[in-house]
Amino acid sequence: MNISLTPELEQLVKDRVSSGKYHSVSEVMGEALRLLEERDACGGLRQRIRDQRLAELKAKIQVGIEELERGEGIDGEEVFAELDRRRYPTC
C-alpha cells in the first residue's frame, strides 16, 4: 500500500521514528490508525453525552418559560442586586 503525505506530515512521521519512540514508519502509522479508531469510537459516546446534555438544557429552559408564563419570574434587576449584595456585603 502506498500512502501520500504532505511534507509536514512526512516530517512528523520521520521525527517520531528519529526520536526512538517508534522503530519504523509502519509503527508510527499503525499507532496513528489505532488512535483514529479509538477517537471514532469515543466520538459516538461524546455525541450521545452532548445530545443528553442538550436535551437536559432544553428541558430546563422549558421549565423556565413555563414559570415565566405563570408569572413566577423574578425581575432581572432584583436578581443582579441580590448577587451584588452577596458579593459585596455592607459592613
Side-chain angles (χ1 to χ4, degrees):
M1 175 185 298
N2 288 327
I3 299 173
S4 297
L5 299 174
T6 64
E8 295 82 11
L9 289 176
E10 187 174 341
Q11 188 59 50
L12 177 64
V13 171
K14 288 178 182 178
D15 290 345
R16 295 293 194 250
V17 175
S18 296
S19 74
K21 183 175 179 182
Y22 299 94
H23 295 100
S24 68
V25 169
S26 292
E27 274 190 41
V28 175
M29 298 307 296
E31 177 72 5
L33 292 171
R34 278 189 293 281
L35 289 171
L36 178 62
E37 187 174 348
E38 181 180 310
R39 187 193 73 184
D40 288 349
C42 290
L45 175 61
R46 281 194 297 268
Q47 185 62 47
R48 287 192 300 276
I49 291 170
R50 273 193 299 267
D51 291 346
Q52 179 182 356
R53 287 181 178 166
L54 181 58
E56 291 169 359
L57 180 58
K58 286 180 178 182
K60 288 178 181 181
I61 290 170
Q62 186 59 42
V63 168
I65 290 170
E66 291 168 3
E67 288 175 351
L68 287 173
E69 288 172 347
R70 291 191 304 263
E72 299 172 1
I74 301 172
D75 180 71
E77 293 298 322
E78 291 178 35
V79 171
F80 287 114
E82 176 63 24
L83 291 173
D84 283 342
R85 282 192 294 277
R86 289 181 188 179
R87 188 181 313 163
Y88 308 110
T90 56
C91 296

